[in-house]
């Protein structure tokens, strides 16, 4: 405004350069937060360990290239074309386990999903990754229970499903948790609880340190819900 | 499309890079380091209407001169994005999950007159 310059297109007095920059930076922040459906920038309480992050990101990349090999018409950058509604915004979510109550051979893990994403997307796929260290000889039976928040009362859970895994050797094993996470996305607090139960003589089913790169995680793929359209004739 | 120069007055694309470190967002946005929030600015007199950017063939230029001479030349058209692409973000949400998403139509690649 000081320079008396006017916008050539609409004639409004041009902003001073500093004020214009601040206005554009504020616009960029508003625009990104609005598109991510976030009320404000997230304050990240506790970052997952670097090892766990790298392991999970490598897994997602490997999963994507496997999917590329499996699905014809794969997009160039490795994204799987959405099954329904091309052009809908897609999300890939890596959720790292929060340790819950545990005993010598049983452990609970919690996976939280943010309300912003849960409230505006639908789950296409969700996989739980668990690492088993070397234990005894031969295949070992492990029970994995998926628990969900009980609508009847806070901090109580109900059993959603129970799976017995035969762990043949040390390494990663996966479990499809798509149905459990999908039904969570309608809840007030979208939190998946996983209970692991191993044979008594195994010891804890979890790595000793949360910073371990073999810490359990869930990889979920979600897609923005198609906007609800009302057709009137 | 055309990128704006120091004294461009006609419709062009103005580059504007937002460095996430400069706005203190580098702790929750893992990738990329910033956002190209380019925008379109400049004049679109009617004889420029309908061509993507300023690059016009000789035939279009002659046609424009004829249009410019017409009485309706006083009405302008608008300088708008003609090509846009998604902004791919990898970020932490408030539960420390890592989320990757492609936000469609966030980066303007070229501008032109409606």
């Amino acid at each position: 405004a000081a320079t008396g310059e006017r916008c050539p297109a609409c004639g409004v007095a041009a902003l001073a350069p500093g004020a214009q920059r601040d206005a554009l930076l504020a616009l960029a922040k508003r625009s990104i937060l609005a598109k991510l459906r976030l009320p404000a920038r997230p304050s990240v309480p506790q970052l997952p360990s670097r090892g766990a992050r790298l392991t999970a990101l490598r897994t997602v990349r490997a999963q994507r290239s496997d999917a590329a090999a499996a699905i014809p018409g794969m997009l160039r950058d490795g994204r799987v074309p959405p099954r329904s509604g091309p052009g809908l915004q897609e999300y890939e979510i890596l959720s790292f386990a929060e340790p819950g109550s545990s005993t010598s051979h049983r452990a609970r893990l919690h996976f939280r999903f943010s309300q912003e994403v849960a409230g505006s997307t639908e789950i296409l796929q969700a996989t739980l990754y668990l690492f088993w260290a070397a234990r005894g000889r031969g295949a070992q039976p492990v029970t994995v229970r998926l628990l969900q928040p009980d609508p009847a009362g806070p901090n109580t859970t109900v059993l959603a499903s129970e799976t017995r895994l035969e762990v043949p050797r040390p390494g990663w094993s996966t479990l499809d948790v798509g149905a459990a996470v999908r039904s969570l996305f309608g809840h007030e607090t979208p939190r998946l609880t996983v209970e692991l139960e191993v044979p008594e003589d195994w010891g804890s089913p979890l790595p000793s340190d949360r910073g371990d790169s073999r810490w359990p995680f869930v990889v979920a793929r979600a897609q923005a819900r198609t906007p609800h359209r009302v057709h009137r004739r | 499309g055309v990128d704006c120069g120091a004294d461009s007055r006609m419709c062009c694309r103005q580059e504007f890079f937002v460095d996430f470190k400069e706005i203190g967002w580098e702790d929750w946005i893992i990738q990329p380091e910033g956002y190209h929030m380019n925008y379109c600015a400049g004049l679109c007199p009617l004889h420029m209407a309908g061509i993507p950017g300023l690059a016009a063939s000789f035939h279009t230029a002659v046609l424009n001169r004829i249009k410019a001479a017409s009485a309706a030349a006083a009405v302008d058209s608008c300088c708008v994005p003609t090509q846009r692409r998604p902004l791919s973000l990898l970020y932490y949400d408030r539960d420390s999950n890592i989320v990757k998403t492609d936000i469609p139509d966030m980066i303007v690649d070229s501008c032109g007159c409606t």
Side-chain angles (χ1 to χ4, degrees), chain A residues 29-65:
Chain A
K29 288 182 179 179
R30 277 202 311 274
S31 170
I32 290 175
L33 291 177
K35 297 283 184 162
L36 295 179
R37 299 180 178 83
L38 295 175
R41 54 142 292 166
S43 57
V44 186
Q46 182 187 355
L47 295 187
S49 76
R50 180 176 157 73
R53 288 195 317 249
L54 291 178
T55 303
L57 286 169
R58 277 193 209 108
T59 305
V60 170
R61 193 186 309 272
Q63 196 184 52
R64 208 182 290 151
S65 52

Side-chain angles (χ1 to χ4, degrees), chain B residues 16-74:
Chain B
F16 185 79
F17 182 68
V18 180
D19 185 332
F20 290 140
K21 190 166 286 194
E22 179 186 346
I23 61 175
W25 278 14
E26 80 283 3
D27 61 334
W28 71 279
I29 294 185
I30 307 165
Q31 284 288 333
E33 294 179 355
Y35 163 37
H36 288 275
M37 189 176 83
N38 311 324
Y39 58 91
C40 301
L43 290 171
C44 272
L46 189 63
H47 66 281
M48 296 276 302
I51 50 174
L54 287 179
S57 68
F58 173 73
H59 170 72
T60 313
V62 170
L63 195 62
N64 288 335
R65 297 299 303 159
I66 295 169
K67 280 197 277 183
S70 71

Side-chain angles (χ1 to χ4, degrees), chain A residues 144-158:
Chain A
V144 182
R145 294 184 189 91
L146 301 184
L147 309 166
Q148 291 184 332
D150 181 356
N155 296 332
T156 54
T157 54
V158 289

Side-chain angles (χ1 to χ4, degrees), chain A residues 8-9 20-21 24-25 27-29 31-33 35-36 38 41-48 53 57 64 77 79 87 89-96 112-117, chain B residues 8-9 16-20 22-30 35 37 39 41-43 76 86-87 89-106:
Chain A
Q20 182 180 30
R21 181 165 183 75
L24 285 170
L25 290 178
L27 177 65
K29 288 182 179 179
S31 170
I32 290 175
L33 291 177
K35 297 283 184 162
L36 295 179
L38 295 175
R41 54 142 292 166
S43 57
V44 186
Q46 182 187 355
L47 295 187
R53 288 195 317 249
L57 286 169
R64 208 182 290 151
D77 64 356
R79 278 181 308 130
Q89 194 170 337
E90 278 201 18
Y91 294 80
E92 271 174 322
I93 305 157
L94 282 178
S95 186
F96 297 89
R112 295 175 193 280
F113 297 91
S114 71
Q115 194 47 265
E116 288 81 20
V117 175
Chain B
S8 299
R9 295 181 58 76
F16 185 79
F17 182 68
V18 180
D19 185 332
F20 290 140
E22 179 186 346
I23 61 175
W25 278 14
E26 80 283 3
D27 61 334
W28 71 279
I29 294 185
I30 307 165
Y35 163 37
M37 189 176 83
Y39 58 91
L43 290 171
D76 280 359
L87 169 64
L89 279 181
L90 191 67
Y91 65 94
Y92 290 112
D93 70 8
R94 57 194 159 112
D95 298 301
S96 306
N97 297 329
I98 294 179
V99 183
K100 176 188 179 299
T101 189
D102 299 339
I103 307 175
D105 294 339
M106 281 290 271

Side-chain angles (χ1 to χ4, degrees), chain A residues 226-231:
Chain A
T226 42
H228 179 62
R229 288 203 175 90
V230 180
H231 295 281

